[in-house]
């Protein structure tokens, strides 16, 4: 069917959303606009859906949501007897509409639905899947993307995002469905009255809070610490749960950024609501100039990531990277667990392969096993599940990824900014009672283990020619990899697609045990490193650089040399 024919079909059949009808009328006769909306189907990837909100097969709307959910429902009914699902949603435009649309499809397919009565964070969805013994789950969110996006993450019965196998089956089923005639749907209100759709109760939310609080180590010190916090939920789901947890541990001097306090899918004051970037924190930093807190805390719209800024000692505020916060939390958890005698036997920490290697030194200092996994927090959750299957879940003490995601307990299987916000504030409160700022604590860590300076660069390659160039670059680095980068010798080369690790110095080759993935790693002398991988969702090659040196100044010089070499190879 041509794009014009699809457009006509939608004009005739997409009657359930007045906004879509208006948009379809507005683009009548606009060939380019029609083509952009109908030239392909919005893809259900390994994690679920994500796209621009609007009319058409290449947009997020109730019809693409229904079709994807029908495929998910067919998968659940194939794999399980009497399956059930949990659903949550964030503050984005139409998140509540999409969550109800998904619930209607599940219910029409005989699948019991548990749905939150108001917006709730991603970790609360993961928790509900496990607490209610569901076989699947949906979190309606586009994470930290701009306001024009929405999507949903699909979850399996373990509370992790859906497995690669599960995603492949769902995609196959979705592709066999007609957008309008292949989907079963029902009335939300009628299904509620029948008991096929139930609202998740306060008991589940309270149980989630209790599990988060159980992860505290020094929460008893918080109330008397005098810690002062500025907090912004970036108009997302973190407002209630994060503030509730902080209140319960005694952190009461919390100034909330009013402009970003309440749910707002337009993200008026932070067009790109990503706590990894300074732009999203600008309004909060203005509050900091007045309040002069010990800490600025910012959670993203679905409250699975958290970013921080701290006084820099020069009258301003310094942003910490995800690598730095994660490493500091691991050091804090290890140090305090050992001193309090609560460190489990044979403790385990889990990190992604692109996350800072300072973890290895911290873990070695405290006798902790490090497990490396591919990028994506579901692989960290998977490791918790493997420990749980052996009855060793208590060995897991912390897991994190460089992209601002952290988790210290096995009660959920995705990154949790409620848990992380509590731990960060507790850590700051503890250090405050010791007369140490977070800035000083970071410097103490670097004095102990050396400075690890990490940067991430994305090189964009648009269009078909760009995709071809990306392939050429990856092939070139794979088959004719450099002997040195930035003036530093390559000592070990790892190809995760081929599944091999080669010691350049000895020529010895060993097998990598991780799943195959298009990732290349170059281990350099003096503990430096470079990792290269294509983005799974954008026409970009991502390069993760690590410069290790005794001081920040030396590390920055090394990093510039590494970057200069990679800039040349990406042309």
């Amino acid at each position: 069917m041509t794009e014009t024919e699809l457009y006509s079909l939608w004009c005739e059949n997409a009657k359930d959303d007045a906004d879509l009808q208006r948009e379809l009328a507005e683009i009548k006769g606009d060939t380019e606009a029609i083509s952009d909306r109908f030239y392909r189907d919005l893809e259900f990837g390994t994690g679920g859906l994500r796209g621009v909100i609007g009319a058409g097969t290449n947009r997020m709307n109730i019809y693409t949501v229904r079709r994807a959910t029908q495929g998910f429902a067919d998968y659940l009914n194939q794999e399980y007897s009497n399956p059930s699902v949990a659903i949550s949603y964030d503050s984005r435009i139409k998140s509540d509409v999409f969550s109800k649309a998904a619930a209607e499809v599940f219910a029409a397919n005989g699948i019991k639905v548990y749905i939150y009565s108001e917006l709730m964070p991603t970790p609360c969805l993961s928790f509900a899947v496990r607490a209610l013994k569901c076989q699947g789950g949906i979190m309606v969110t586009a994470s930290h993307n701009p306001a024009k996006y929405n999507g949903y993450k699909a979850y399996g019965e373990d509370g992790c995002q859906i497995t690669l196998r599960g995603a492949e089956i769902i995609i196959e089923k979705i592709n066999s469905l007609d957008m309008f005639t292949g989907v079963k749907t029902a009335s939300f209100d009628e299904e509620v009255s029948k008991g096929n759709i139930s609202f998740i109760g306060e008991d589940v939310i309270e149980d989630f809070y209790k599990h988060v609080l159980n992860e505290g180590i020094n929460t008893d010190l918080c109330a008397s610490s005098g810690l002062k916090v500025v907090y912004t939920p970036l108009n997302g789901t973190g407002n209630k749960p994060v503030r509730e947890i902080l209140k319960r541990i005694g952190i009461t001097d919390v100034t909330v950024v009013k402009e970003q306090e309440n749910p707002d899918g337009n993200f008026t004051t932070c067009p790109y609501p990503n706590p990894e970037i300074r732009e999203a924190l600008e309004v909060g930093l203005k509050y900091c100039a007045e309040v002069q807190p010990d800490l600025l805390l910012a959670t993203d719209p679905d409250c699975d990531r958290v970013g921080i800024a701290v006084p820099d000692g020069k009258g301003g505020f310094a942003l910490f990277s995800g690598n730095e916060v994660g490493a500091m939390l691991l050091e804090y958890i290890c140090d305090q667990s050992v001193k309090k005698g609560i460190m489990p036997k044979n403790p385990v920490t889990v990190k992604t392969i692109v996350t800072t290697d300072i973890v290895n030194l911290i873990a070695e200092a405290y006798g902790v096993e490090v497990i490396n996994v591919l990028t994506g927090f579901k692989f960290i959750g998977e490791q918790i599940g493997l420990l749980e299957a052996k009855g060793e879940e208590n060995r897991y003490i912390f897991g994190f990824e460089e992209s601002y995601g952290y988790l210290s307990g096995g009660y959920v299987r995705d990154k949790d900014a409620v848990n992380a916000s509590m731990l960060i504030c507790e850590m700051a409160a503890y250090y405050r009672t010791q007369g140490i700022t977070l800035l000083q604590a970071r410097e103490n860590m670097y004095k102990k283990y050396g400075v690890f300076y990490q940067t991430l660069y994305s090189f964009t390659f648009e269009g078909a020619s760009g995709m071809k160039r990306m392939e050429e670059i990856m092939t070139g680095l794979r088959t004719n990899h450099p002997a040195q980068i930035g003036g530093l010798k390559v000592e070990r080369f790892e190809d995760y697609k081929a599944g091999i690790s080669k010691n350049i110095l000895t020529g010895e080759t060993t097998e990598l045990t991780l799943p195959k993935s298009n990732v290349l790693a170059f281990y350099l002398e003096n503990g430096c490193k470079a990792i290269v991988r294509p983005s799974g969702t954008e026409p970009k090659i991502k390069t993760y650089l690590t410069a290790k040196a005794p001081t920040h100044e030396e590390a920055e010089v090394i990093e510039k040399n590494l970057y200069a070499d990679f800039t040349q190879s990406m042309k």
Side-chain angles (χ1 to χ4, degrees), residues 22-83:
R22 279 192 294 272
E23 183 178 340
L24 290 167
E26 288 170 0
I27 64 172
K28 185 176 182 180
D30 188 335
T31 305
E32 185 177 342
I34 291 171
S35 176
D36 185 46
R37 288 163 175 77
F38 291 98
Y39 82 95
R40 67 166 191 164
D41 287 351
L42 187 66
E43 292 182 6
F44 187 100
T46 55
L49 286 175
R50 186 173 298 180
V52 174
I53 303 164
T57 57
N58 187 34
R59 292 288 190 270
M60 273 293 295
N61 52 66
I62 57 172
Y63 299 101
T64 52
V65 166
R66 284 173 179 172
R67 183 174 182 242
T69 306
Q70 181 65 55
F72 196 178
D74 289 343
Y75 161 76
L76 290 173
N77 278 326
Q78 172 186 293
E79 299 288 319
Y80 303 98
S81 299
N82 302 314

Side-chain angles (χ1 to χ4, degrees), residues 151-457:
Y152 78 55
K153 301 174 185 176
Y155 287 76
E157 65 178 334
D158 57 356
C160 291
Q161 288 189 45
I162 200 77
T163 63
L164 297 178
R165 172 188 172 274
E168 288 172 1
I169 296 173
I170 294 169
I171 291 167
E172 185 179 336
K173 292 186 178 298
I174 291 170
N175 291 339
S176 70
L177 296 170
D178 181 89
M179 187 72 69
F180 296 110
T181 63
V183 179
K184 298 177 184 177
T185 189
S187 162
F188 185 88
D189 291 338
E190 287 181 12
E191 295 303 314
V192 169
S193 66
K194 292 177 184 177
N196 296 327
I197 298 176
S198 298
F199 291 104
I200 296 172
E202 287 295 324
D203 58 326
V204 174
I205 299 171
E206 181 60 30
D207 200 22
F208 170 77
Y209 287 157
K210 287 179 180 177
H211 278 82
V212 172
L213 291 168
N214 283 341
E215 295 303 314
I217 300 174
N218 286 308
T219 51
D220 56 315
L221 296 175
C222 292
S224 60
S225 68
L227 189 75
K228 185 185 292 188
V229 177
V230 169
Y231 170 58
T232 172
L234 298 179
N235 300 118
T237 59
N239 187 37
K240 285 187 178 181
V242 170
R243 291 171 72 178
E244 179 64 23
I245 287 296
L246 295 188
K247 183 178 75 173
R248 292 195 188 191
I249 65 172
I251 304 291
T252 56
D253 193 346
V254 179
T255 301
V256 180
V257 177
K258 291 297 180 185
E259 297 91 333
Q260 299 172 344
E261 178 179 9
N262 296 316
D264 177 7
N266 293 303
F267 306 114
T268 309
T269 60
C270 52
Y272 194 45
N274 181 354
E276 297 181 46
I277 62 174
R278 193 176 191 94
E279 178 190 6
L281 307 185
E282 287 296 347
V283 179
L285 289 169
K286 289 178 181 177
Y287 273 67
C288 289
E290 289 185 26
V291 176
Q292 290 298 309
D294 299 286
L295 173 68
L296 167 66
L297 202 64
T299 54
D300 69 344
D302 65 321
C303 197
D304 63 352
R305 302 170 191 248
V306 58
I308 72 169
V310 304
D312 62 7
K314 304 173 186 176
F317 280 76
L319 275 62
F320 280 13
S321 72
N323 276 318
E324 289 173 330
V325 173
M328 290 173 67
L329 284 173
L330 178 62
E331 169 78 7
Y332 170 74
I333 289 168
C334 289
D335 177 68
Q336 291 300 297
S337 295
V338 169
K339 287 178 178 175
K340 288 179 171 287
I342 58 173
M343 181 71 94
K345 187 178 180 182
N346 302 320
V348 168
T349 186
V350 189
K351 74 175 187 71
T352 61
I353 57 175
V354 298
T355 297
T356 176
D357 283 339
I358 198 172
V359 168
N360 298 327
L361 300 181
I362 296 170
E364 183 180 1
Y366 294 99
V368 177
E369 178 186 351
V370 179
I371 297 177
N372 282 287
V373 297
L374 295 177
T375 53
F377 213 91
K378 65 181 176 184
F379 295 113
I380 295 177
E382 180 182 53
Q383 291 299 320
I384 303 173
L386 292 172
L387 289 170
E388 182 182 51
K390 296 187 291 185
E392 300 175 359
E393 183 186 348
N394 70 317
R395 290 178 59 199
Y396 171 80
I397 59 169
F398 191 59
F400 78 102
E401 57 186 3
E402 50 80 35
S403 55
Y404 293 61
Y406 320 97
L407 178 66
S408 69
Y411 58 97
V412 297
R413 300 296 160 85
D414 209 338
K415 47 191 175 286
D416 182 0
V418 182
N419 164 254
S421 294
M422 181 192 75
L423 289 175
I424 290 167
C425 287
E426 180 198 301
M427 175 174 67
Y430 170 77
Y431 285 135
R432 198 176 196 280
T433 64
Q434 305 298 305
I436 301 170
T437 66
L438 284 178
L439 195 70
Q440 291 167 332
R442 185 185 68 174
E443 295 313 304
N444 290 343
M445 179 180 72
Y446 282 145
K447 285 178 183 177
K448 185 175 180 181
Y449 302 109
V451 174
F452 283 72
Y453 181 52
Q454 289 92 17
T455 50
L456 166 62
Y457 296 100

Side-chain angles (χ1 to χ4, degrees), residues 87-116:
I87 298 177
S88 185
Y89 58 95
D90 70 1
S91 59
R92 287 183 175 273
I93 296 167
K94 292 189 179 291
S95 278
D96 55 343
V97 174
F98 296 156
S99 66
K100 286 186 176 181
E104 291 170 340
V105 172
F106 282 128
N109 283 272
I111 296 172
K112 171 69 178 179
V113 177
Y114 300 95
I115 186 169
Y116 281 106

Side-chain angles (χ1 to χ4, degrees), residues 130-145:
R130 293 172 54 76
L132 298 171
K133 294 180 171 52
C134 297
Q135 286 66 51
I138 284 177
M139 177 68 200
V140 181
T141 180
S143 191
H144 51 271
N145 282 66

